[in-house]
Amino acid sequence: MKTNSVKIFLSVIIVVSVVSSWVHYYVKPIDKAMWLIGTWENKTSRGSVYESWKKINGNELSGKSYAVKGADTIIFETVQLKQEGNNLYYIPT
């Protein structure tokens, strides 16, 4: 009887260890895109085009691309990068 209790106890410890290691290494899809945060410049023959990203919350980034011409800023596109469940959505507006 004592041998069975020890086997069950060890089995439970192994299962808990394996599951906790899986949870520890899971990275949310939105977390893989956090490197985008900041402002990026692309120099072209017509001038510079910028892309700027900021973190809205733990499941969403907001981005915009724009060009600066003289004193004017021309916005090309605004984007949401949003995680819902395990899915990541790129939503241009």
Side-chain angles (χ1 to χ4, degrees):
M1 201 66 164
K2 188 174 181 181
T3 304
N4 281 341
S5 296
V6 171
K7 286 181 182 178
I8 291 172
F9 178 73
L10 289 175
S11 296
V12 168
I13 288 178
I14 290 170
V15 168
V16 168
S17 296
V18 168
V19 169
S20 67
S21 70
W22 289 340
V23 170
H24 178 71
Y25 289 107
Y26 173 73
V27 177
K28 292 174 25 177
I30 193 73
D31 290 340
K32 294 177 183 178
M34 292 297 173
W35 65 270
L36 289 169
I37 294 173
T39 300
W40 303 83
E41 180 182 15
N42 182 20
K43 293 185 180 189
T44 69
S45 60
R46 294 182 177 185
S48 292
V49 177
Y50 297 90
E51 187 171 319
S52 182
W53 289 90
K54 66 181 177 178
K55 182 177 179 179
I56 301 300
N57 57 46
N59 292 318
E60 183 177 350
L61 296 178
S62 175
K64 64 180 176 180
S65 58
Y66 57 95
V68 176
K69 198 170 197 175
D72 295 328
T73 301
I74 304 162
I75 296 178
F76 295 119
E77 177 179 57
T78 57
V79 178
Q80 284 179 292
L81 191 56
K82 192 171 192 177
Q83 179 176 332
E84 291 182 5
N86 287 326
N87 297 315
L88 194 58
Y89 296 96
Y90 180 88
I91 307 165
T93 53

